[in-house]
Amino acid sequence: MVFSHVLISRPQPEAAELAELIQDTQLVPVFQPAFQFEPGFAGLDFNNAWIKGKRRLVVFCSPRAVEFGLRQLPAGFLDEVEIAAIGPATANGLESGGHTVTILPAEEFNSEALLAHPAMLDAPGKALIFAAPGGRQSLFSGLQEQGWAAEFAHVYRAVPITPGADVIKPLLQSAGVLSVWTSANALSHLATTLDSQVWETICRGAFLVTSERLGEIAERHSPGRVYVTDGPGNSAIRDCILQLI
């Protein structure tokens, strides 16, 4: 299949970083993030968050959770606390901020993989989940089933973006669209808000996704033309794009 354009649904700055990595492919990048991110109200008292004598675990579910969460924490809050990250990009953000990640999934980077980590199963205590409202419900339920006293810290929120008119023309004129998806929420949002002709054009192309679960969702829109990357990062996405073209 021939591709002339690549639709990048990642938020910034990841979208621009990916476009730079594939600039030698001659694919025309079209940027259409599904959401922008804003600070949120955590909804809990960090100064009284822990249970005396119990394990203390903070789970960061995305780079955005790190970005907005660290701003809201009292000084010293992460001292003597176990820190879990959902994936390597999240872990890198924490390490860059001077915080040591003690729990990180080895292969799959999702809630199920984190829950299966051996360190999660021994002597559960109190766990705070840094995320956006509406997300990571399976992680919350899984922690509770393992015996953790789990609580959300909604430190940011995702605000939907209405697709702009500047997306329509290049995609309708394309010879073939390769679309990049790293979020089920982004895919669902753009599937319902993009111009119907544009969405049909996207569905006639190929979907590049970063997980098997996301691939199952993409198959409903583009059966037989869904490709899964070897990881969630931009380097893995670039490698898959190079194989496809």
Side-chain angles (χ1 to χ4, degrees):
M1 187 172 183
V2 176
F3 304 108
S4 60
H5 291 64
V6 56
L7 173 66
I8 302 177
S9 63
R10 302 205 79 168
Q12 298 292 1
E14 291 91 340
E17 292 168 356
L18 176 58
E20 184 174 355
L21 283 175
I22 62 172
Q23 62 181 346
D24 58 342
T25 66
Q26 307 305 313
L27 290 172
V28 178
V30 179
F31 299 100
Q32 183 53 70
F35 304 99
Q36 62 184 10
F37 301 99
E38 299 178 352
F41 177 60
L44 58 85
D45 179 4
F46 288 118
N47 291 311
N48 297 285
W50 301 121
I51 301 173
K52 188 175 181 179
K54 296 287 187 179
R55 282 180 69 187
R56 302 177 176 185
L57 174 68
V58 173
V59 182
F60 288 90
C61 294
S62 69
R64 244 64 58 183
V66 175
E67 176 187 355
F68 292 105
L70 294 183
R71 299 177 189 175
Q72 300 184 35
L73 293 177
F77 183 83
L78 294 179
D79 294 346
E80 301 181 3
V81 171
E82 294 176 78
I83 301 177
I86 203 75
T90 303
N92 289 340
L94 288 161
E95 299 281 355
S96 296
H99 305 286
T100 301
V101 175
T102 53
I103 302 174
L104 178 68
E107 295 181 1
E108 295 288 328
F109 305 117
N110 52 40
S111 296
E112 290 75 15
L114 183 60
L115 288 167
H117 194 286
M120 303 293 289
L121 307 176
D122 182 38
K126 178 67 178 288
L128 300 182
I129 306 169
F130 283 59
R136 301 298 176 180
Q137 294 298 324
S138 62
L139 176 60
F140 176 80
S141 299
L143 287 170
Q144 287 190 317
E145 291 172 3
Q146 290 178 347
W148 291 91
E151 189 172 2
F152 278 110
H154 291 141
V155 293
Y156 75 101
R157 63 190 185 100
V159 180
I161 297 175
T162 301
D166 56 334
V167 174
I168 296 176
K169 185 175 180 179
L171 293 183
L172 289 180
Q173 294 178 342
S174 69
V177 179
L178 173 61
S179 55
V180 176
W181 306 94
T182 59
S183 161
N185 288 337
L187 197 158
S188 298
H189 173 64
L190 292 180
T192 56
T193 56
L194 276 169
D195 174 85
S196 60
Q197 280 188 291
V198 172
W199 184 247
E200 290 172 6
T201 300
I202 293 169
C203 291
R204 288 196 298 269
F207 283 51
L208 193 156
V209 300
T210 55
S211 71
E212 295 288 347
R213 181 175 6 178
L214 186 52
E216 294 173 1
I217 298 172
E219 280 282 353
R220 302 170 195 166
H221 301 283
S222 185
R225 294 186 295 274
V226 175
Y227 303 89
V228 183
T229 68
D230 289 333
N234 278 338
S235 294
I237 295 172
R238 178 183 186 275
D239 290 344
C240 192
I241 290 174
L242 291 178
Q243 292 175 20
L244 290 177
I245 64 173

